[in-house]
């Protein structure tokens, strides 16, 4: 192995605690990312539903 | 009377939607930027601990998540009180929107804590006062979510959840002081303590950066969810009127 690869694998090994450190960051990323994605998609769905209603009935007005 | 009038000015969903539309374009990149910087500082730009080695890096997600779990619960209890006392409609929406976020932060704190406990204490879990009261916090969030959706009458569900949030707030000082009141395996406070933080600035800065990133992300997600819920309510009203 060349020197860079050794340095990099040494970094990812986290002093022998790789599975604990990376799992903790992985779980945080999954949960935060999941919450962000579901929140965003819920808003988009609500906006689309209102839009469809406004298109079907222009009298409703679109103050969304 | 003047206070009541003032509160109801902010209870107007239109006003909230306009405020959210003005703040979200700033808060979103700010939180993403802070989290990116915090991640760099936590994983690359900070030293390993002289006792805990590289596992100390778990602190940079564990501690901000735990702080948020407690902060969001405090907000949940305050929203519940505002909803029950002043019948403030926006505070009910806020409570329903933030409970799953609080549960998410609590889950991160519990799992990252277990992953930190295994190499440092030799156990993923122990029933000490800090861990047990924090697990209770998670169940309080789940109970709040379940109660909110437990009744056909939306209003009744939200009121019951508000009562649970207020009663459960007693758990917050128990979590905070559990490490002083009982002999816990969990370490005592290192930041908010007499005589200043007991952590080196090289670790304090990554921690604060991550904590601020978590905080702003919470407000972004709360804004998105409240906005979605208000538009859903508007859609229900409009569909009903047809």
């Amino acid at each position: 192995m060349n020197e860079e690869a050794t340095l990099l694998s040494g970094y990812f090994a986290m002093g022998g605690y790789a599975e604990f450190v990376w799992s903790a960051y992985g779980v945080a990323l999954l949960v935060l990312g999941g919450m962000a994605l579901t929140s965003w998609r819920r808003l988009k769905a609500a906006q689309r539903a209102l839009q469809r209603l406004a298109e079907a009935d222009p009298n409703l007005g679109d103050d969304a | 009377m003047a206070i009541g009038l003032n509160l109801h000015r902010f209870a107007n969903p239109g006003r909230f939607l306009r405020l959210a539309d003005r703040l979200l374009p700033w808060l979103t990149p700010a939180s993403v930027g802070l989290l990116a910087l915090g991640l760099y500082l936590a994983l690359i730009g900070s030293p390993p601990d002289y006792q805990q080695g590289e596992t100390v890096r778990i602190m940079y997600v564990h501690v901000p998540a735990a702080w948020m779990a407690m902060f969001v619960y405090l907000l949940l209890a305050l929203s519940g009180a505002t909803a029950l006392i002043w019948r403030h409609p926006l505070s009910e929406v806020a409570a329903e929107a933030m409970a799953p976020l609080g549960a998410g932060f609590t889950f991160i704190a519990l799992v990252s804590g277990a992953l930190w406990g295994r190499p440092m204490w030799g156990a993923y879990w122990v029933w000490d006062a800090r861990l047990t009261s924090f697990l209770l916090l998670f169940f309080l969030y789940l109970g709040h979510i379940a109660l909110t959706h437990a009744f056909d009458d939306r209003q009744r569900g939200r009121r019951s959840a508000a009562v649970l949030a207020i009663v459960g707030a007693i758990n917050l000082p128990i979590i905070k002081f559990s490490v002083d009141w009982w002999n816990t395996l969990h370490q005592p406070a290192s930041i908010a303590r007499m005589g200043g933080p007991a952590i080196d600035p090289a670790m304090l800065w990554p921690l604060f950066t991550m904590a601020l990133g978590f905080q702003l992300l919470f407000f972004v997600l709360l804004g998105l969810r409240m906005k979605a819920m208000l538009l859903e309510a508007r859609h229900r009203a409009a569909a009903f009127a047809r």
Side-chain angles (χ1 to χ4, degrees):
Chain A
M1 256 195 311
N2 63 40
E3 210 170 304
E4 266 174 40
T6 317
L7 267 176
L8 210 58
S9 68
Y11 170 74
F12 283 111
M14 282 285 160
Y17 296 116
E19 72 238 65
F20 302 107
V21 175
W22 295 118
S23 306
Y25 279 84
V27 167
L29 192 72
L30 273 180
V31 173
L32 294 181
M35 294 197 305
L37 195 68
T38 49
S39 305
W40 174 254
R41 286 172 65 171
R42 185 170 174 184
L43 175 60
K44 289 293 132 186
Q47 284 172 334
R48 272 197 306 273
L50 264 184
Q51 180 119 35
R52 273 198 302 275
L53 210 60
E55 279 163 10
D57 186 354
N59 292 329
L60 281 173
D62 61 337
D63 50 352
Chain B
M1 197 60 207
I3 291 170
L5 282 175
N6 241 339
L7 265 176
H8 282 274
R9 267 161 51 106
F10 289 103
N12 181 347
R15 200 177 291 268
F16 172 80
L17 288 173
R18 279 194 296 280
L19 184 71
D21 284 338
R22 212 172 310 150
L23 290 180
L24 283 173
W26 295 94
L27 283 178
T28 310
S31 72
V32 172
L34 275 169
L35 286 174
L37 176 65
L39 216 52
Y40 167 78
L41 291 174
L43 287 172
I44 298 165
S46 62
D49 186 65
Y50 81 104
Q51 281 182 324
Q52 310 204 9
E54 303 286 351
T55 61
V56 75
R57 301 189 193 285
I58 296 174
M59 173 180 72
Y60 305 118
V61 293
H62 176 73
V63 171
W67 281 345
M68 288 312 297
M70 295 179 68
F71 169 77
V72 174
Y73 196 90
L74 184 66
L75 217 55
L76 191 71
L78 289 176
S79 304
T82 315
L84 288 182
I85 298 168
W86 288 288
R87 298 285 142 110
H88 191 305
L90 207 53
S91 61
E92 291 185 340
V93 173
E96 189 177 334
M98 75 177 75
L101 300 176
F105 286 122
T106 313
F107 183 79
I108 295 174
L110 284 169
V111 173
S112 61
L115 288 165
W116 198 3
R118 177 66 198 157
M120 291 300 106
W121 301 342
Y124 285 110
W125 186 263
V126 289
W127 292 100
D128 86 357
R130 170 58 71 81
L131 278 70
T132 308
S133 55
F134 219 84
L135 186 64
L136 178 63
L137 183 70
F138 185 59
F139 289 138
L140 282 168
Y141 275 121
L142 294 188
H144 190 280
I145 296 167
L147 264 183
T148 303
H149 302 286
F151 301 95
D152 288 332
D153 179 5
R154 189 178 286 265
Q155 205 61 29
R156 218 176 133 201
R158 285 176 166 177
R159 298 247 161 92
S160 321
V163 172
L164 176 72
I166 295 164
V167 174
I170 188 71
N171 192 34
L172 289 179
I174 295 180
I175 294 174
K176 168 74 186 140
F177 297 111
S178 57
V179 286
D180 305 321
W181 291 343
W182 290 283
N183 195 1
T184 53
L185 189 52
H186 193 287
Q187 60 181 319
S190 344
I191 313 283
R193 68 192 268 280
M194 301 283 283
I199 294 184
D200 192 84
M203 294 175 177
L204 217 46
W205 280 111
L207 184 61
F208 284 155
T209 310
M210 284 291 257
L212 194 59
F214 271 50
Q215 183 80 57
L216 293 190
L217 181 70
F218 165 70
F219 283 119
V220 168
L221 298 186
L222 180 66
L224 289 179
R225 297 171 68 84
M226 286 178 69
K227 208 177 145 186
M229 288 169 65
L230 291 171
L231 295 186
E232 285 163 8
R234 189 174 282 182
H235 179 265
R236 273 195 303 275
F240 184 73
R242 291 177 81 193

